[in-house]
Structures are given as C-alpha cells and as structure tokens.
Amino acid sequence: QGVIERFATFKNAIPPPARDCKSMSGHWLHYLWLAYLSKPQGERELFRSIKKNKIRSVVEFGVGDARRAERLIEFARQFVPNGELSYTGIDLFEGRQDLEQGVSLKEAHGRLKRLDAKIKLIPGEPFSALARFANSLAGTDLVLISRDHGAEAMDQAWMYLPRMLHENTLILTENLTSSGEEEAPEKWAYVAMERDKIVERAGSNAQHIARAA
C-alpha cells in the first residue's frame, strides 16, 4: 500500500468534523514524510516504531551530529504529555578520533535543551557510561545503537544494559543492509532486535530486565 493510499485510508477513518482539523492532518503528513519518504532511508523505521509504541524514554548510543536526535525528539514528543519525554545520549563527543563526525558536548547540549524534553548527555564509552548511570535509566522504552559504537564496545556494555530494560523495551540497532561502500548512509538501516536475541545477549544478566507493569 503506497503513501497516498495510506493517507486516504487514514482520512476516511476520521469522523467528518475531525477531518477539517489542520493540526491533525499536518501531524499525519509529517509522520508520512518521516516514516516513508525522509532521508536517510535507514532511519525511517525509527519513526514508525515511535508511532507504533508508547515511547516516553529514549537512550541513544552514538549522538553523531545530533540531527537524528533533534528529529526524533521533535516527533516523539507529539505522543506524550508536554515535557514528559526523556532523552539520554551517550557519545564520546570531544573524545572522538574524528571530531568532524560529531558535535561537542556543549553544542549538543545547546541544541537539544531547546526542545520540549528532559535531556541528559553522558560523555564516554557505552561501558563506562552505563557503569555509572544504568540504574538511573531503568524503564527505558527505546534504545538506539548507532554504528558509531563498535561491536566490542557494546559487547562490554551488555553487562549493564539489561538494568535499563523492561519486557517491552524496543532496541533498534544500525546495521549494514547491503554490500558496497560502508560509509554511504543509504547502506545502513535501523533494525529491531528480536526478544530472544535480547535475552541471549543479556545472558545471566537477563534477570535484571524488569517485568512489564
């Protein structure tokens, strides 16, 4: 079903008085753009997942240039009461080897703080960051793992990651989806981690995953 057909189906399902609500149509068109037409294509699953699930808290490993975080926060806060969305970004910031591939902690803080959400930025590797803050991030609804963090760094972080999770936590990892130049953004996409894979990665620490309320 194409994008136009999706919008027509949605519109026809709305009672006539509500169809004239410009804000509703505007939100829906914005969602269609982000979820099916925006670039980079690999990030579209993020917005589909946010709309489908009740996301109130996000932890992102790898803030990069912070543009993804800005789009994500702006979109996700539409579905939660004002100011109740929380976003935590874990990144090397100034500790990056290539400073041109990301923003400084100060710049990221300045750009994200202006958004209507509770923002926390943690500098450092995933393992060291979670060793300090995993318990305070308990109950996270959405975890994003970008390709900025290597497999080894995240393997170590899994010692603490389960403490952040509940049974319905959604974990999206940025994976290479096709052969070719790995630096090309279109070669990467966010993919949901299956529940059994989460438990497998957590190992003996799976006991820390909180049961759904």
Side-chain angles (χ1 to χ4, degrees):
Q1 192 177 26
V3 172
I4 301 302
E5 289 79 5
R6 290 176 185 271
F7 179 70
T9 300
F10 172 81
K11 183 176 180 181
N12 291 335
I14 302 174
R19 292 183 190 171
D20 297 327
C21 179
K22 293 183 179 179
S23 61
M24 180 178 288
S25 297
H27 286 321
W28 181 248
L29 288 172
H30 185 221
Y31 165 68
L32 287 178
W33 171 258
L34 290 172
Y36 298 99
L37 299 172
S38 63
K39 300 289 185 176
Q41 182 176 339
E43 293 184 5
R44 297 174 187 175
E45 179 60 29
L46 298 183
F47 303 104
R48 293 196 288 266
S49 297
I50 289 171
K51 184 176 184 298
K52 182 179 179 181
N53 300 275
K54 295 180 179 179
I55 303 299
R56 291 175 176 269
S57 54
V58 180
V59 174
E60 181 175 30
F61 292 92
V63 175
D65 61 11
R67 286 184 293 181
R68 178 178 54 247
E70 289 176 318
R71 292 194 297 271
L72 185 155
I73 294 168
E74 288 279 15
F75 180 71
R77 68 188 182 90
Q78 300 177 45
F79 305 100
V80 296
N82 293 340
E84 290 192 15
L85 176 71
S86 66
Y87 170 89
T88 300
I90 298 173
D91 195 277
L92 291 174
F93 296 110
E94 286 86 346
R96 286 171 170 268
Q97 290 186 344
D98 186 353
L99 296 179
E100 294 184 358
Q101 294 300 312
V103 295
S104 67
L105 178 61
K106 181 179 180 179
E107 181 180 347
H109 189 272
R111 285 167 54 180
L112 299 182
K113 273 294 185 181
R114 65 181 178 81
L115 304 175
D116 188 19
K118 301 172 184 176
I119 305 297
K120 177 187 290 184
L121 298 176
I122 304 173
E125 291 282 359
F127 176 79
S128 62
L130 293 190
R132 292 175 286 148
F133 292 99
N135 289 339
S136 67
L137 298 173
T140 297
D141 295 322
L142 175 63
V143 176
L144 304 178
I145 303 175
S146 80
R147 57 184 162 126
D148 290 349
H149 290 291
E152 182 178 349
M154 288 310 303
D155 284 345
Q156 295 176 331
W158 271 97
M159 176 184 295
Y160 295 105
L161 193 59
R163 302 185 186 190
M164 300 163 41
L165 311 180
H166 57 73
E167 286 188 334
N168 297 319
T169 298
L170 182 65
I171 299 180
L172 299 179
T173 61
E174 192 175 21
N175 297 336
L176 188 64
T177 59
S178 59
S179 60
E181 179 54 58
E182 292 191 7
E183 294 302 316
E186 65 272 13
K187 300 294 183 181
W188 295 83
Y190 278 93
V191 179
M193 184 179 289
E194 298 292 338
R195 174 66 186 176
D196 57 350
K197 183 65 173 178
I198 294 174
V199 173
E200 177 186 335
R201 291 294 305 275
S204 61
N205 293 311
Q207 61 181 316
H208 295 297
I209 299 176
R211 296 189 179 278

